Amino acid sequence: HRDLHSFPTRRSSDLTQFDTEFSAMKEIFAALGKLRLSLNGLRPEFSWGSDDDEEKRRVLLSRLHEFKERYNKLVDTAESLYPFVSANIYQHVHECMSRAQIEIMHIETAEDKTFRFEWYQDGAKQRETFDEHYHAAVKLARDHFKHLTIISQHCCPGKLA
């Protein structure tokens, strides 16, 4: 006679799946959120009368270094947790990573165009596209977990708060 309690039940596997997906998405969105904050302040704003290009470049390089670190952290996190994230959410996260990579490339190759009006416009365009995909990923993630929470509460009342 087998001990039936030793086999995982549908309820426990549902909770395990929920916990695994939630943990993966929590890590990815933490890294993505930090990258987003860094992106928003990446291209420093200066008064148009400021002529100290050396100081401007020093600030930019410092911010770019931090941005690259956050970008690399997101790539490492998203790629290692990819199996636990739905394809449609990952697609938007991947687009955010692509926008960040383009932003890095544009800043590193701008040369004499750095700090010109068009340079700032390019940065605004990258941020706008990044934000569109960021918000789409957030919405999909919230909808996904809302759905899983409803299923888990239905099948396992009292297990999730």
Side-chain angles (χ1 to χ4, degrees), residues 96-149:
C96 288
M97 291 188 298
S98 294
R99 292 298 138 199
Q101 190 175 32
I102 290 168
E103 181 71 347
I104 291 167
M105 183 190 69
H106 285 188
I107 289 173
E108 290 180 337
T109 61
E111 296 177 358
D112 64 334
K113 297 175 187 157
T114 306
F115 306 119
R116 291 192 179 168
F117 181 72
E118 297 80 18
W119 183 79
Y120 285 105
Q121 284 183 317
D122 176 63
K125 178 182 170 189
Q126 298 308 322
R127 281 192 312 275
E128 183 180 323
T129 305
F130 183 101
D131 279 346
E132 287 172 9
H133 287 284
Y134 173 83
H135 289 294
V138 168
K139 182 182 181 330
L140 288 170
R142 285 181 177 155
D143 291 347
H144 179 73
F145 284 112
K146 185 178 181 182
H147 177 73
L148 284 179
T149 302

Side-chain angles (χ1 to χ4, degrees), residues 38-55:
S38 189
L39 176 64
N40 287 335
L42 182 57
R43 295 187 188 219
E45 298 287 331
F46 296 100
S47 66
W48 289 105
S50 177
D51 291 329
D52 190 358
D53 282 349
E54 201 56 40
E55 176 64 14

